[in-house]
Coordinates of all heavy atoms in Angstrom, one line a residue:
M9 N 16.5 14.2 5.1 CA 16.9 12.8 5.1 C 15.8 12.0 5.6 O 15.7 11.7 6.8 CB 18.2 12.6 5.9 CG 18.6 11.2 6.1 SD 19.8 11.0 7.4 CE 18.9 11.8 8.8
P10 N 14.9 11.6 4.8 CA 13.7 10.7 5.2 C 14.2 9.3 5.6 O 14.9 8.7 4.9 CB 12.8 10.7 4.0 CG 13.3 11.8 3.2 CD 14.7 12.0 3.4
T11 N 13.8 8.9 6.8 CA 14.1 7.5 7.3 C 12.8 6.7 7.0 O 11.7 7.0 7.4 CB 14.4 7.5 8.8 OG1 15.5 8.3 9.0 CG2 14.6 6.1 9.3
Y12 N 13.1 5.6 6.3 CA 12.0 4.7 5.9 C 11.7 3.7 7.1 O 10.6 3.5 7.4 CB 12.3 3.9 4.6 CG 11.3 2.9 4.3 CD1 10.0 3.3 3.9 CD2 11.5 1.5 4.4 CE1 9.0 2.4 3.6 CE2 10.5 0.6 4.1 CZ 9.3 1.0 3.7 OH 8.3 0.1 3.5
L13 N 12.7 3.1 7.6 CA 12.5 2.2 8.8 C 13.8 2.1 9.6 O 14.9 2.4 9.1 CB 12.0 0.9 8.3 CG 12.8 -0.1 7.4 CD1 13.8 -0.9 8.3 CD2 11.9 -1.1 6.8
R14 N 13.6 1.5 10.7 CA 14.7 1.1 11.6 C 14.6 -0.4 11.9 O 13.4 -0.8 12.2 CB 14.7 1.9 12.9 CG 15.0 3.4 12.6 CD 14.9 4.2 13.9 NE 14.9 5.6 13.7 CZ 16.0 6.4 13.7 NH1 17.2 5.8 14.0 NH2 16.0 7.6 13.5
I15 N 15.6 -1.1 11.8 CA 15.6 -2.5 12.0 C 16.9 -3.0 12.7 O 18.0 -2.7 12.2 CB 15.3 -3.3 10.7 CG1 15.3 -4.8 11.0 CG2 16.3 -3.0 9.6 CD1 14.9 -5.7 9.8
R16 N 16.8 -3.6 13.8 CA 17.9 -4.1 14.6 C 19.1 -3.1 14.7 O 20.2 -3.4 14.6 CB 18.5 -5.3 13.9 CG 17.5 -6.5 13.9 CD 18.1 -7.7 13.3 NE 17.1 -8.8 13.5 CZ 17.4 -9.9 14.3 NH1 18.6 -10.0 14.9 NH2 16.5 -10.8 14.4
G17 N 18.7 -1.8 15.0 CA 19.7 -0.8 15.2 C 20.1 -0.1 14.0 O 20.9 0.9 14.0
Y18 N 19.7 -0.5 12.8 CA 20.1 0.1 11.5 C 19.0 1.0 11.1 O 17.8 0.8 11.3 CB 20.3 -0.9 10.5 CG 21.6 -1.8 10.7 CD1 21.5 -3.0 11.4 CD2 22.8 -1.3 10.3 CE1 22.6 -3.7 11.6 CE2 23.9 -2.1 10.5 CZ 23.8 -3.3 11.2 OH 25.0 -4.0 11.4
R19 N 19.4 2.1 10.4 CA 18.4 3.0 9.8 C 18.5 2.8 8.2 O 19.6 2.8 7.7 CB 18.9 4.4 10.1 CG 18.0 5.5 9.4 CD 18.6 6.9 9.7 NE 18.9 7.1 11.1 CZ 18.8 8.3 11.6 NH1 18.5 9.4 10.9 NH2 19.0 8.4 12.9
V20 N 17.3 2.8 7.6 CA 17.2 2.7 6.1 C 16.6 4.1 5.7 O 15.5 4.4 6.2 CB 16.3 1.5 5.7 CG1 16.1 1.6 4.2 CG2 16.9 0.2 6.1
Y21 N 17.4 4.8 4.9 CA 17.0 6.1 4.5 C 17.5 6.5 3.2 O 18.2 5.8 2.5 CB 17.6 7.1 5.6 CG 19.1 7.3 5.5 CD1 19.6 8.3 4.8 CD2 19.9 6.3 6.1 CE1 21.0 8.4 4.7 CE2 21.3 6.5 6.0 CZ 21.8 7.5 5.3 OH 23.2 7.6 5.1
F22 N 17.2 7.7 2.7 CA 17.8 8.3 1.6 C 18.0 9.8 1.8 O 17.3 10.4 2.6 CB 17.0 8.1 0.3 CG 15.6 8.6 0.3 CD1 15.3 9.9 -0.1 CD2 14.6 7.7 0.6 CE1 14.0 10.3 -0.1 CE2 13.3 8.2 0.6 CZ 13.0 9.5 0.2
W23 N 18.9 10.4 1.1 CA 19.2 11.8 1.1 C 18.3 12.5 0.1 O 18.2 12.1 -1.0 CB 20.6 12.2 0.8 CG 21.6 11.6 1.7 CD1 22.3 10.4 1.5 CD2 22.1 12.1 2.9 NE1 23.2 10.2 2.5 CE2 23.1 11.2 3.4 CE3 21.7 13.2 3.7 CZ2 23.7 11.4 4.7 CZ3 22.4 13.4 4.9 CH2 23.3 12.5 5.4
T24 N 17.6 13.6 0.5 CA 16.8 14.3 -0.5 C 17.5 15.1 -1.6 O 16.9 15.4 -2.6 CB 15.8 15.3 0.3 OG1 16.6 16.2 1.0 CG2 14.8 14.5 1.1
N25 N 18.8 15.3 -1.4 CA 19.6 16.0 -2.4 C 20.1 15.0 -3.4 O 21.0 15.4 -4.2 CB 20.7 16.8 -1.8 CG 21.7 16.0 -1.0 OD1 21.5 14.8 -0.8 ND2 22.8 16.6 -0.7
E26 N 19.7 13.8 -3.4 CA 20.2 12.8 -4.4 C 19.1 12.5 -5.4 O 19.0 11.4 -6.0 CB 20.6 11.5 -3.7 CG 21.9 11.7 -2.9 CD 22.4 10.4 -2.3 OE1 21.5 9.6 -1.9 OE2 23.6 10.2 -2.2
S27 N 18.1 13.4 -5.6 CA 17.0 13.1 -6.5 C 17.4 12.9 -7.9 O 16.6 12.5 -8.7 CB 15.9 14.2 -6.3 OG 16.5 15.4 -6.7
D28 N 18.7 13.3 -8.2 CA 19.1 13.1 -9.6 C 19.6 11.7 -9.9 O 20.0 11.3 -11.0 CB 20.3 14.1 -9.9 CG 21.5 13.9 -9.0 OD1 21.3 13.6 -7.8 OD2 22.6 14.2 -9.5
E29 N 19.6 10.9 -8.8 CA 20.0 9.5 -9.0 C 18.7 8.5 -9.0 O 17.7 8.9 -8.5 CB 20.8 9.0 -7.7 CG 22.1 9.8 -7.7 CD 23.0 9.2 -6.5 OE1 22.8 8.0 -6.2 OE2 23.8 10.0 -6.1
P30 N 18.9 7.4 -9.6 CA 17.8 6.4 -9.5 C 17.5 6.0 -8.1 O 18.3 6.2 -7.2 CB 18.4 5.2 -10.3 CG 19.5 5.7 -11.1 CD 20.1 6.9 -10.3
I31 N 16.3 5.4 -7.9 CA 15.9 5.0 -6.6 C 16.9 4.1 -5.9 O 17.4 3.2 -6.5 CB 14.4 4.4 -6.7 CG1 13.9 4.2 -5.2 CG2 14.4 3.2 -7.5 CD1 12.5 3.8 -5.2
H32 N 17.1 4.4 -4.7 CA 18.1 3.6 -3.9 C 17.8 3.9 -2.4 O 17.0 4.7 -2.1 CB 19.5 4.0 -4.2 CG 19.8 5.4 -3.9 ND1 19.5 6.4 -4.7 CD2 20.4 6.0 -2.8 CE1 19.9 7.6 -4.2 NE2 20.5 7.3 -3.0
F33 N 18.5 3.2 -1.5 CA 18.5 3.5 -0.1 C 19.9 3.3 0.5 O 20.7 2.6 -0.1 CB 17.4 2.7 0.6 CG 17.5 1.2 0.5 CD1 18.3 0.5 1.4 CD2 16.9 0.5 -0.5 CE1 18.4 -0.9 1.4 CE2 16.9 -0.9 -0.6 CZ 17.7 -1.6 0.3
H34 N 20.0 4.0 1.6 CA 21.3 3.9 2.4 C 20.9 3.2 3.7 O 19.8 3.2 4.2 CB 21.8 5.2 2.7 CG 22.2 6.0 1.5 ND1 23.5 5.9 0.9 CD2 21.6 7.0 0.8 CE1 23.5 6.7 -0.1 NE2 22.4 7.4 -0.2
I35 N 22.0 2.5 4.2 CA 21.8 1.8 5.5 C 22.9 2.3 6.4 O 24.1 2.3 6.0 CB 21.9 0.3 5.3 CG1 20.9 -0.2 4.3 CG2 21.6 -0.4 6.7 CD1 21.1 -1.6 3.8
C36 N 22.6 2.6 7.7 CA 23.7 3.0 8.6 C 23.3 2.5 10.0 O 22.1 2.3 10.3 CB 23.9 4.5 8.6 SG 22.6 5.5 9.3
K37 N 24.2 2.5 10.9 CA 24.0 2.3 12.3 C 24.6 3.5 12.9 O 25.8 3.9 12.7 CB 24.7 1.0 12.8 CG 24.3 0.6 14.1 CD 24.8 -0.8 14.5 CE 23.6 -1.7 14.9 NZ 24.0 -3.0 15.2
G38 N 23.8 4.3 13.7 CA 24.3 5.5 14.2 C 23.9 6.7 13.3 O 22.9 6.6 12.6
N39 N 24.7 7.7 13.3 CA 24.5 8.9 12.5 C 24.8 8.6 11.0 O 25.8 8.1 10.7 CB 25.3 10.1 13.0 CG 24.8 10.5 14.4 OD1 23.7 10.4 14.8 ND2 25.8 10.9 15.2
P40 N 23.9 9.1 10.2 CA 24.1 8.9 8.7 C 25.3 9.7 8.3 O 25.6 10.7 8.8 CB 22.8 9.5 8.1 CG 21.8 9.4 9.2 CD 22.5 9.6 10.4
S41 N 26.0 9.1 7.2 CA 27.1 9.8 6.6 C 27.1 9.5 5.1 O 26.4 8.5 4.7 CB 28.4 9.4 7.2 OG 28.9 8.2 6.7
H42 N 27.9 10.2 4.4 CA 27.9 9.9 2.9 C 28.7 8.7 2.5 O 28.7 8.3 1.4 CB 28.4 11.2 2.2 CG 27.5 12.3 2.2 ND1 26.4 12.4 1.4 CD2 27.5 13.4 3.0 CE1 25.7 13.5 1.7 NE2 26.3 14.1 2.6
D43 N 29.3 8.0 3.5 CA 29.9 6.7 3.3 C 29.1 5.5 3.7 O 29.7 4.4 3.8 CB 31.3 6.7 4.0 CG 32.3 7.6 3.3 OD1 32.2 7.7 2.1 OD2 33.2 8.1 4.0
D44 N 27.8 5.7 3.9 CA 27.0 4.6 4.3 C 26.7 3.6 3.2 O 26.9 4.0 2.0 CB 25.7 5.1 4.9 CG 25.8 5.8 6.2 OD1 26.8 5.5 7.0 OD2 25.0 6.6 6.6
T45 N 26.4 2.4 3.5 CA 26.1 1.4 2.5 C 24.9 1.9 1.6 O 24.0 2.5 2.1 CB 25.7 0.1 3.2 OG1 26.8 -0.3 4.0 CG2 25.2 -1.0 2.3
K46 N 25.0 1.6 0.3 CA 24.0 2.0 -0.7 C 23.5 0.9 -1.5 O 24.3 0.0 -1.9 CB 24.7 3.1 -1.6 CG 23.8 3.7 -2.6 CD 24.6 4.8 -3.4 CE 23.7 5.7 -4.1 NZ 24.4 6.8 -4.7
V47 N 22.2 0.8 -1.7 CA 21.6 -0.2 -2.4 C 20.6 0.4 -3.5 O 19.8 1.2 -3.2 CB 20.8 -1.2 -1.5 CG1 20.1 -2.3 -2.3 CG2 21.6 -1.7 -0.4
W48 N 20.9 0.0 -4.7 CA 20.0 0.4 -5.9 C 18.8 -0.5 -6.0 O 18.8 -1.7 -5.6 CB 20.7 0.3 -7.2 CG 22.0 1.2 -7.3 CD1 23.3 0.7 -7.3 CD2 22.0 2.6 -7.5 NE1 24.1 1.8 -7.5 CE2 23.4 2.9 -7.6 CE3 21.1 3.6 -7.5 CZ2 23.8 4.2 -7.7 CZ3 21.5 4.9 -7.7 CH2 22.8 5.2 -7.8
I49 N 17.7 0.0 -6.6 CA 16.5 -0.8 -6.8 C 16.3 -0.7 -8.3 O 16.3 0.3 -9.0 CB 15.3 -0.2 -6.1 CG1 15.5 -0.3 -4.6 CG2 14.0 -1.0 -6.5 CD1 14.5 0.4 -3.7
T50 N 16.1 -1.9 -8.9 CA 15.8 -2.0 -10.4 C 14.3 -2.0 -10.7 O 13.5 -2.2 -9.8 CB 16.5 -3.3 -10.9 OG1 15.8 -4.4 -10.4 CG2 17.9 -3.4 -10.6
K51 N 14.0 -1.9 -11.9 CA 12.6 -1.9 -12.4 C 11.9 -3.1 -12.0 O 10.7 -3.1 -11.7 CB 12.5 -1.6 -13.9 CG 11.2 -1.2 -14.4 CD 11.2 -0.8 -15.8 CE 9.9 -0.3 -16.2 NZ 9.9 0.3 -17.5
D52 N 12.6 -4.3 -12.0 CA 12.0 -5.5 -11.7 C 12.0 -5.8 -10.2 O 11.7 -6.9 -9.7 CB 12.6 -6.7 -12.5 CG 14.0 -7.0 -12.1 OD1 14.6 -6.3 -11.2 OD2 14.6 -7.9 -12.6
R53 N 12.3 -4.7 -9.4 CA 12.2 -4.8 -7.9 C 13.3 -5.6 -7.3 O 13.2 -6.0 -6.1 CB 10.9 -5.2 -7.4 CG 9.6 -4.4 -7.7 CD 9.8 -3.1 -8.3 NE 8.5 -2.4 -8.3 CZ 8.1 -1.6 -9.3 NH1 8.9 -1.4 -10.4 NH2 7.0 -0.9 -9.2
T54 N 14.4 -5.9 -8.0 CA 15.5 -6.5 -7.3 C 16.4 -5.4 -6.8 O 16.3 -4.2 -7.1 CB 16.3 -7.4 -8.3 OG1 16.8 -6.5 -9.4 CG2 15.5 -8.5 -8.8
M55 N 17.3 -5.8 -5.9 CA 18.2 -4.8 -5.2 C 19.6 -5.2 -5.5 O 19.9 -6.4 -5.6 CB 17.9 -4.8 -3.7 CG 16.5 -4.3 -3.4 SD 16.1 -4.4 -1.6 CE 15.7 -6.2 -1.5
V56 N 20.4 -4.2 -5.8 CA 21.8 -4.3 -6.1 C 22.6 -3.5 -5.2 O 22.4 -2.3 -5.1 CB 22.1 -3.9 -7.6 CG1 23.5 -4.0 -7.9 CG2 21.2 -4.6 -8.6
V57 N 23.5 -4.1 -4.4 CA 24.3 -3.4 -3.5 C 25.4 -2.6 -4.3 O 26.2 -3.2 -5.0 CB 25.0 -4.3 -2.5 CG1 26.0 -3.6 -1.6 CG2 24.0 -5.1 -1.7
A58 N 25.3 -1.3 -4.2 CA 26.2 -0.4 -4.9 C 27.6 -0.5 -4.2 O 28.6 -0.6 -4.9 CB 25.7 1.0 -5.0
H59 N 27.6 -0.4 -2.9 CA 28.8 -0.5 -2.1 C 28.4 -0.8 -0.6 O 27.3 -0.4 -0.2 CB 29.7 0.7 -2.2 CG 29.1 2.0 -1.8 ND1 28.9 2.3 -0.5 CD2 28.6 3.0 -2.5 CE1 28.3 3.5 -0.4 NE2 28.2 3.9 -1.6
N60 N 29.3 -1.3 0.1 CA 29.1 -1.6 1.5 C 30.2 -0.8 2.3 O 30.9 -1.4 3.1 CB 29.1 -3.1 1.9 CG 28.6 -3.3 3.3 OD1 28.2 -2.4 4.0 ND2 28.8 -4.6 3.7
K61 N 30.3 0.5 2.1 CA 31.2 1.3 2.8 C 30.9 1.4 4.3 O 31.8 1.8 5.1 CB 31.3 2.7 2.2 CG 32.0 2.7 0.8 CD 32.0 4.1 0.3 CE 32.6 4.1 -1.2 NZ 32.6 5.5 -1.7
G62 N 29.7 1.1 4.6 CA 29.3 1.1 6.0 C 29.7 -0.2 6.8 O 29.5 -0.3 8.0
H63 N 30.3 -1.1 6.0 CA 30.8 -2.4 6.6 C 29.8 -3.1 7.4 O 30.1 -3.6 8.5 CB 32.1 -2.1 7.4 CG 33.1 -1.4 6.7 ND1 33.8 -1.9 5.7 CD2 33.5 -0.1 6.8 CE1 34.7 -1.0 5.2 NE2 34.5 0.1 5.8
I64 N 28.6 -3.2 6.8 CA 27.5 -4.0 7.5 C 27.8 -5.5 7.4 O 28.1 -6.0 6.3 CB 26.2 -3.6 6.9 CG1 25.9 -2.1 7.1 CG2 25.1 -4.5 7.5 CD1 24.6 -1.6 6.4
P65 N 27.8 -6.2 8.5 CA 28.1 -7.7 8.4 C 27.1 -8.4 7.5 O 25.9 -7.9 7.4 CB 27.9 -8.1 9.9 CG 28.1 -6.9 10.7 CD 27.6 -5.8 9.8
K66 N 27.5 -9.4 6.9 CA 26.7 -10.2 5.9 C 25.3 -10.6 6.5 O 24.3 -10.5 5.8 CB 27.4 -11.4 5.4 CG 28.5 -11.1 4.4 CD 29.2 -12.3 3.9 CE 30.4 -11.9 3.1 NZ 31.1 -13.1 2.5
T67 N 25.3 -11.1 7.7 CA 24.1 -11.6 8.3 C 23.1 -10.4 8.5 O 21.9 -10.6 8.3 CB 24.3 -12.3 9.7 OG1 25.1 -11.5 10.5 CG2 25.1 -13.6 9.4
D68 N 23.6 -9.3 9.0 CA 22.7 -8.1 9.2 C 22.2 -7.6 7.8 O 21.0 -7.3 7.7 CB 23.5 -7.0 9.9 CG 23.7 -7.3 11.4 OD1 23.2 -8.3 11.9 OD2 24.5 -6.6 12.0
M69 N 23.1 -7.6 6.9 CA 22.7 -7.1 5.5 C 21.6 -8.0 4.9 O 20.7 -7.6 4.4 CB 24.0 -7.1 4.6 CG 23.7 -6.4 3.3 SD 23.5 -4.7 3.5 CE 23.7 -4.2 1.9
A70 N 21.8 -9.3 5.1 CA 20.8 -10.3 4.6 C 19.4 -10.0 5.2 O 18.4 -10.1 4.5 CB 21.3 -11.7 4.8
R71 N 19.4 -9.8 6.5 CA 18.1 -9.6 7.2 C 17.5 -8.3 6.7 O 16.3 -8.2 6.5 CB 18.4 -9.5 8.7 CG 18.7 -10.8 9.4 CD 18.9 -10.6 10.9 NE 19.3 -11.9 11.5 CZ 20.4 -12.0 12.2 NH1 21.1 -11.0 12.5 NH2 20.7 -13.2 12.7
I72 N 18.3 -7.2 6.6 CA 17.8 -6.0 6.1 C 17.2 -6.1 4.7 O 16.1 -5.6 4.3 CB 18.8 -4.9 6.1 CG1 19.2 -4.6 7.6 CG2 18.4 -3.6 5.4 CD1 20.4 -3.8 7.8
M73 N 17.9 -6.8 3.8 CA 17.5 -7.0 2.4 C 16.2 -7.8 2.4 O 15.3 -7.5 1.5 CB 18.6 -7.7 1.6 CG 19.9 -6.9 1.5 SD 19.7 -5.4 0.5 CE 20.0 -6.0 -1.1
I74 N 16.0 -8.8 3.2 CA 14.7 -9.5 3.3 C 13.6 -8.6 3.7 O 12.5 -8.6 3.0 CB 14.8 -10.7 4.3 CG1 15.7 -11.8 3.7 CG2 13.5 -11.3 4.6 CD1 16.1 -12.9 4.7
V75 N 13.8 -7.8 4.7 CA 12.7 -6.9 5.1 C 12.4 -5.9 4.0 O 11.3 -5.6 3.7 CB 13.1 -6.1 6.4 CG1 12.2 -5.0 6.7 CG2 13.2 -7.1 7.6
M76 N 13.5 -5.4 3.3 CA 13.2 -4.4 2.2 C 12.5 -5.1 1.0 O 11.7 -4.5 0.4 CB 14.5 -3.8 1.8 CG 15.1 -2.8 2.8 SD 13.9 -1.4 3.2 CE 13.9 -0.5 1.6
A77 N 12.9 -6.3 0.7 CA 12.2 -7.0 -0.4 C 10.7 -7.2 -0.1 O 9.9 -7.1 -1.0 CB 12.9 -8.4 -0.6
D78 N 10.4 -7.5 1.2 CA 9.0 -7.7 1.6 C 8.2 -6.4 1.6 O 7.0 -6.4 1.5 CB 8.9 -8.3 3.0 CG 9.4 -9.7 3.1 OD1 9.5 -10.4 2.0 OD2 9.6 -10.2 4.2
N79 N 8.9 -5.3 1.6 CA 8.3 -4.0 1.7 C 8.6 -3.0 0.5 O 8.5 -1.8 0.6 CB 8.6 -3.3 3.0 CG 8.1 -4.0 4.2 OD1 6.9 -3.9 4.5 ND2 8.9 -4.8 4.8
I80 N 9.1 -3.6 -0.6 CA 9.7 -2.8 -1.7 C 8.7 -1.9 -2.3 O 9.0 -0.7 -2.6 CB 10.4 -3.7 -2.7 CG1 11.3 -2.9 -3.6 CG2 9.4 -4.5 -3.6 CD1 12.5 -2.4 -2.8
E81 N 7.4 -2.3 -2.5 CA 6.4 -1.5 -3.1 C 6.1 -0.3 -2.2 O 6.0 0.9 -2.7 CB 5.2 -2.2 -3.5 CG 5.3 -3.3 -4.5 CD 5.8 -2.7 -5.9 OE1 5.5 -1.6 -6.2 OE2 6.5 -3.5 -6.6
D82 N 6.1 -0.5 -0.9 CA 5.8 0.6 0.0 C 7.0 1.6 0.0 O 6.8 2.8 0.0 CB 5.6 0.0 1.4 CG 5.2 1.1 2.4 OD1 4.2 1.9 2.1 OD2 5.9 1.2 3.5
Y83 N 8.2 1.0 -0.1 CA 9.4 1.9 -0.1 C 9.4 2.8 -1.4 O 9.7 4.0 -1.4 CB 10.7 1.1 0.0 CG 11.9 2.0 -0.1 CD1 12.3 2.8 1.0 CD2 12.6 2.2 -1.3 CE1 13.3 3.7 0.9 CE2 13.7 3.1 -1.4 CZ 14.0 3.8 -0.3 OH 15.1 4.7 -0.3
I84 N 9.1 2.1 -2.5 CA 9.0 2.9 -3.8 C 8.0 4.0 -3.7 O 8.3 5.1 -4.1 CB 8.7 1.9 -5.0 CG1 9.9 1.0 -5.2 CG2 8.4 2.7 -6.2 CD1 9.6 -0.2 -6.1
A85 N 6.9 3.8 -3.1 CA 5.9 4.8 -2.9 C 6.4 5.9 -2.0 O 6.1 7.1 -2.3 CB 4.6 4.2 -2.4
F86 N 7.1 5.5 -0.9 CA 7.7 6.5 0.0 C 8.7 7.4 -0.7 O 8.6 8.6 -0.6 CB 8.3 5.7 1.1 CG 9.0 6.5 2.2 CD1 8.2 7.3 3.1 CD2 10.4 6.6 2.3 CE1 8.8 8.0 4.1 CE2 11.0 7.3 3.3 CZ 10.2 8.1 4.2
W87 N 9.5 6.8 -1.5 CA 10.5 7.6 -2.3 C 9.8 8.6 -3.2 O 10.1 9.7 -3.3 CB 11.4 6.6 -3.1 CG 12.3 7.3 -4.1 CD1 11.9 7.8 -5.4 CD2 13.7 7.5 -4.0 NE1 13.0 8.3 -6.0 CE2 14.1 8.1 -5.2 CE3 14.6 7.2 -3.0 CZ2 15.4 8.5 -5.5 CZ3 16.0 7.6 -3.3 CH2 16.3 8.2 -4.5
N88 N 8.8 8.0 -4.0 CA 8.1 8.8 -5.0 C 7.3 9.9 -4.3 O 7.2 11.1 -4.9 CB 7.2 7.9 -5.9 CG 6.8 8.6 -7.2 OD1 7.6 9.3 -7.8 ND2 5.6 8.5 -7.5
D89 N 6.6 9.7 -3.2 CA 5.9 10.7 -2.5 C 6.8 11.8 -2.0 O 6.4 13.0 -2.0 CB 5.1 10.1 -1.3 CG 4.0 9.2 -1.7 OD1 3.6 9.3 -2.9 OD2 3.5 8.5 -0.8
T90 N 8.0 11.5 -1.7 CA 8.9 12.5 -1.1 C 9.6 13.3 -2.2 O 9.7 14.5 -2.2 CB 10.0 11.8 -0.2 OG1 9.4 11.0 0.8 CG2 10.9 12.8 0.4
L91 N 10.1 12.6 -3.2 CA 10.9 13.2 -4.3 C 10.2 13.5 -5.6 O 10.6 14.3 -6.4 CB 12.2 12.4 -4.6 CG 13.1 12.2 -3.4 CD1 14.3 11.3 -3.8 CD2 13.7 13.5 -2.9
E92 N 9.1 12.8 -5.8 CA 8.3 13.0 -7.0 C 9.1 12.8 -8.3 O 8.9 13.5 -9.2 CB 7.6 14.3 -7.0 CG 6.6 14.5 -5.8 CD 5.9 15.8 -5.8 OE1 6.3 16.8 -6.6 OE2 5.0 16.0 -5.0
D93 N 10.0 11.9 -8.2 CA 10.9 11.5 -9.3 C 11.3 10.1 -9.2 O 12.1 9.7 -8.4 CB 12.1 12.4 -9.3 CG 13.0 12.2 -10.6 OD1 12.5 11.5 -11.5 OD2 14.1 12.6 -10.5
L94 N 10.7 9.2 -10.0 CA 10.9 7.8 -9.9 C 11.6 7.3 -11.1 O 11.0 7.2 -12.2 CB 9.6 7.1 -9.6 CG 9.7 5.6 -9.3 CD1 10.5 5.3 -8.1 CD2 8.3 5.0 -9.1
R95 N 12.9 7.0 -11.0 CA 13.7 6.3 -12.0 C 14.3 5.1 -11.3 O 14.8 5.2 -10.2 CB 14.7 7.2 -12.6 CG 14.1 8.3 -13.4 CD 15.1 9.4 -13.9 NE 15.4 10.2 -12.7 CZ 16.7 10.3 -12.2 NH1 17.7 9.7 -12.8 NH2 16.9 11.1 -11.2
F96 N 14.4 4.0 -12.1 CA 15.0 2.8 -11.5 C 16.5 2.6 -12.0 O 16.8 3.1 -13.1 CB 14.2 1.6 -11.9 CG 12.9 1.6 -11.2 CD1 11.7 2.1 -11.8 CD2 12.7 1.1 -9.9 CE1 10.5 2.1 -11.2 CE2 11.5 1.0 -9.3 CZ 10.4 1.6 -9.9
Y97 N 17.2 1.9 -11.2 CA 18.6 1.6 -11.6 C 18.6 0.6 -12.7 O 17.8 -0.4 -12.7 CB 19.3 1.0 -10.4 CG 20.7 0.6 -10.6 CD1 21.8 1.5 -10.8 CD2 21.1 -0.8 -10.7 CE1 23.1 1.1 -11.1 CE2 22.4 -1.2 -10.9 CZ 23.3 -0.2 -11.1 OH 24.6 -0.6 -11.4
E98 N 19.4 0.8 -13.7 CA 19.6 -0.2 -14.8 C 20.9 -0.9 -14.7 O 21.9 -0.2 -14.7 CB 19.4 0.5 -16.1 CG 18.0 1.1 -16.3 CD 17.9 1.8 -17.7 OE1 18.6 1.3 -18.6 OE2 17.1 2.7 -17.8
K99 N 20.8 -2.2 -14.6 CA 22.1 -3.0 -14.5 C 22.9 -2.9 -15.7 O 22.5 -2.8 -16.8 CB 21.7 -4.5 -14.2 CG 20.9 -4.7 -13.0 CD 20.6 -6.2 -12.9 CE 19.6 -6.5 -11.9 NZ 19.3 -7.9 -11.7

């Protein structure tokens, strides 16, 4: 479970056993679980919230999304370096 960053007590990460899915990230506070918030990344570098099962408050989610948008190319490279399989989510 590679962690990309930590921001305001939240962890942004992905599971390595999800390489069959398009690029995405999970967000959690505390220990990661399979019910954490999930965000897809599209080819045009936009982000789509798949679900917010982690119940992240809107203000915290907005801050995290801004940071991820500012670092999206670095995150994509991090994913690809780790999994060597880069497919984007299609809306």
Side-chain angles (χ1 to χ4, degrees):
M9 173 198 55
T11 297
Y12 176 68
L13 65 81
R14 293 177 190 267
I15 179 171
R16 296 182 172 246
Y18 290 94
R19 176 189 308 213
V20 175
Y21 72 95
F22 58 87
W23 299 98
T24 56
N25 64 348
E26 292 183 326
S27 62
D28 60 328
E29 294 187 26
I31 186 170
H32 64 278
F33 57 90
H34 297 275
I35 307 166
C36 72
K37 195 169 233 181
N39 293 325
S41 81
H42 290 285
D43 286 329
D44 290 335
T45 297
K46 185 177 196 174
V47 180
W48 299 108
I49 299 174
T50 66
K51 192 171 188 172
D52 66 359
R53 295 355 188 214
T54 58
M55 293 174 283
V56 178
V57 177
H59 61 74
N60 188 6
K61 291 181 184 177
H63 306 290
I64 298 173
K66 288 181 185 181
T67 55
D68 290 347
M69 190 70 165
R71 288 180 185 129
I72 293 166
M73 296 294 272
I74 288 168
V75 170
M76 288 304 291
D78 289 345
N79 294 283
I80 199 69
E81 293 301 329
D82 186 52
Y83 179 78
I84 291 168
F86 180 71
W87 170 285
N88 197 42
D89 288 347
T90 304
L91 298 177
E92 298 179 349
D93 182 18
L94 186 59
R95 288 173 288 120
F96 292 95
Y97 177 74
E98 295 183 26
K99 298 179 195 180

